[in-house]
Amino acid sequence: MSESPQNAPVKPVIAAAAAKRANASIIGMLLAILSTLAIVLTIVWLNPQRTAETYRQPVDVAAISAHAAGVAGFTPIAPVLPDGWYANYARWNGPGADQVAFWDVGIVTASNTFISLKQSITANPTWTSAQAQDAPVTGSRNIAGRTWELRDKPKRDRSLVLTSGTTTVILTGQAGFKDFDVLAAAAARGLGSPHSPVTTSPTKGAK
């Protein structure tokens, strides 16, 4: 049965002017997208991808230590690091709410692990525990003639804590014991300790 003219579906007809405006809108949108892409590609080209080496920014710890000494009241440790090691920051932190002022150095080892060194002459047990991430004491290590307290717990950073007179030094990171021992020996020499071989207590073995 054929449809009568009255029942035939009506096909919409777009006026020429409307069709022209629609095409212009689409073309404008495409041009805007292409312009945006051109800007993004230009920025990417002018700013090449950074590698790990780009972010390696060694700092002169000895120079910063000398500058901080007048404020600190002592000369902060500026450890002499082995080849392949470097410090990526060094700063003096004035006393906060806990009234503890401290020297803070970030050190990257040759094995690309990180250890922070903090030194203070106003440390208290609460501050020391917080810097060691509240890890329990699990042993001790004798390094370069100094006995360091070992604090660690599973899946967390480990810490070596040294108390010498009024000075407290804390090393914290996820590095292996070999790297900790190297930095601890350098820190001990910075305190004027005579060098001696590294030994460990039977309560904790090296990894």
Side-chain angles (χ1 to χ4, degrees), residues 47-59:
N47 296 274
Q49 183 178 7
R50 289 177 170 83
T51 62
E53 190 65 23
T54 305
Y55 290 98
R56 174 171 173 158
Q57 299 178 340
V59 299

Side-chain angles (χ1 to χ4, degrees), residues 137-199:
V137 177
T138 57
S140 63
R141 295 175 71 77
N142 186 279
I143 307 166
R146 304 274 189 172
T147 299
W148 296 72
E149 183 179 77
L150 174 62
R151 300 187 182 204
D152 63 1
K153 57 185 174 181
K155 299 181 181 180
R156 299 292 297 272
D157 293 351
R158 63 167 54 97
S159 296
L160 289 180
V161 180
L162 172 67
T163 301
S164 177
T166 59
T167 299
T168 297
V169 180
I170 305 173
L171 309 181
T172 302
Q174 293 185 338
F177 278 109
K178 181 178 179 181
D179 286 342
F180 266 91
D181 291 345
V182 169
L183 183 55
R189 287 192 291 272
L191 289 173
S193 170
H195 175 75
S196 65
V198 174
T199 60

Side-chain angles (χ1 to χ4, degrees), residues 54-86:
T54 305
Y55 290 98
R56 174 171 173 158
Q57 299 178 340
V59 299
D60 189 342
V61 179
I64 300 173
S65 168
H67 181 74
V71 177
F74 65 96
T75 301
I77 294 173
V80 178
L81 302 174
D83 291 340
W85 292 51
Y86 66 96

